[in-house]
Amino acid sequence: MIPGSTPIASAGAMNMIAALLEQRAGQQIAANRTWRIETALKPILRERGLGSLDELVAQLIAARTGELADQVVDALLNQETSFFRDVAVLDMIADAAQAMQAEAGHRRLRIWSAGCSTGQEPLSLAMLFSEREMPDPEIVATDVSPAALARARSGRFSQFEIQRGLPVRRMMTWFDSVNADWVAKPELVRKLQFRQHNLTLDAAPAGCFDIILCRNVMLYFSVAVRRKVFDTLASAIRPGGLLALGAGETVIGQTDHFTPCEKYRGFYRRVEAPGTLLATA
């Protein structure tokens, strides 16, 4: 509970909502952070005229469609992100992509931004590649949240969001001021493919990727779910490709599919079976 707040839910209601989030999205809510449930769901309670989370759970049980459950899960998802988050990592990705492109010749590189939230990460990549005058890679950006993807596709951000990690020069180059917000220029948004995708349930997007970013996503998964997600990522990465995780995440003790990369510190390469041939997809 938030200090000073009034209890509005039984432990049973809290547990059911937390279980719904884990079932649908794989994310866990730590016992010391259950206050997030009340905070995140208050707008839904107000919208539906409900006085407690117990009443919300009763509606979830009685609902004939999954619309309310989808709304609850979407509200609980952690969508923390910002432009050029861990900029040194993005610079290293661009360095690696340039080296890969030199080896690939005319083949277009493919990059997967998994768990892209409202789109700041893939937009940052698109800006960076363009500024380096590199051939545009195919950037596939996915997230489990329809609401987050709708915002990402719109390219519309508040003044607060745009100032988090985005220098004035880039803001003026790549965004237009619209009322109180900033909207990404169409030519920037067109560089990206946004798709809904559930890392814990869905197969990877079709084809092989040269670089996969799955940053600050694994933090909220159980060990078993992490292993499953690493299996999915391994199935999608091209031999010789790179995996980027968040600063507090690692493959060590989590999966046998990846190993730390010596050339690009902090990145991981897929472990190849003897005799593995380079993919051509």
Side-chain angles (χ1 to χ4, degrees), residues 27-176:
Q27 290 193 9
Q28 293 183 317
I29 296 180
N32 64 345
R33 292 183 60 82
T34 53
W35 56 265
R36 278 195 59 240
I37 295 177
E38 295 182 8
T39 302
L41 297 183
K42 278 182 180 178
I44 296 178
L45 296 182
R46 286 195 297 267
E47 177 187 328
R48 292 178 172 265
L50 303 176
S52 71
L53 292 183
D54 290 86
E55 293 179 25
L56 177 62
V57 166
Q59 286 202 359
L60 283 168
I61 294 172
R64 295 184 178 181
T65 69
E67 181 180 352
L68 178 57
D70 291 342
Q71 189 179 4
V72 167
V73 170
D74 207 69
L76 289 171
L77 291 171
N78 190 316
Q79 298 290 0
E80 171 64 21
T81 187
S82 61
F83 287 102
F84 290 91
R85 187 176 185 179
D86 300 323
V87 65
V89 174
L90 297 185
D91 282 333
M92 200 177 301
I93 287 172
D95 291 341
Q98 284 184 305
M100 288 177 176
Q101 189 65 74
E103 294 180 2
H106 295 295
R107 179 179 65 80
R108 189 183 185 193
L109 296 187
R110 302 188 75 228
I111 296 175
W112 178 15
S113 171
C116 71
S117 186
T118 46
Q120 284 92 321
E121 177 179 88
L123 285 167
S124 297
L125 288 172
M127 284 184 261
L128 193 56
F129 292 139
S130 181
E131 290 166 0
R132 291 194 178 203
E133 299 183 347
M134 295 170 56
D136 284 338
E138 178 185 352
I139 301 177
V140 177
T142 65
D143 200 87
V144 68
S145 168
L149 287 172
R151 288 205 55 214
R153 291 188 182 103
S154 75
R156 193 179 189 108
F157 301 93
S158 68
Q159 183 71 36
F160 173 76
E161 291 170 322
I162 207 76
Q163 288 178 328
R164 293 188 66 198
L166 200 63
V168 172
R169 175 182 59 81
R170 281 181 170 140
M171 181 177 71
M172 300 304 295
T173 300
W174 294 107
F175 292 81
D176 294 317

Side-chain angles (χ1 to χ4, degrees), residues 159-207:
Q159 183 71 36
F160 173 76
E161 291 170 322
I162 207 76
Q163 288 178 328
R164 293 188 66 198
L166 200 63
V168 172
R169 175 182 59 81
R170 281 181 170 140
M171 181 177 71
M172 300 304 295
T173 300
W174 294 107
F175 292 81
D176 294 317
S177 177
V178 179
N179 297 324
D181 295 333
W182 291 84
V183 180
K185 293 183 183 295
E187 58 266 31
L188 180 62
V189 179
R190 281 197 296 266
K191 295 176 183 289
L192 309 173
Q193 300 175 31
F194 290 106
R195 304 177 190 173
Q196 186 174 2
H197 179 270
N198 189 325
L199 275 168
T200 67
L201 298 176
D202 299 335

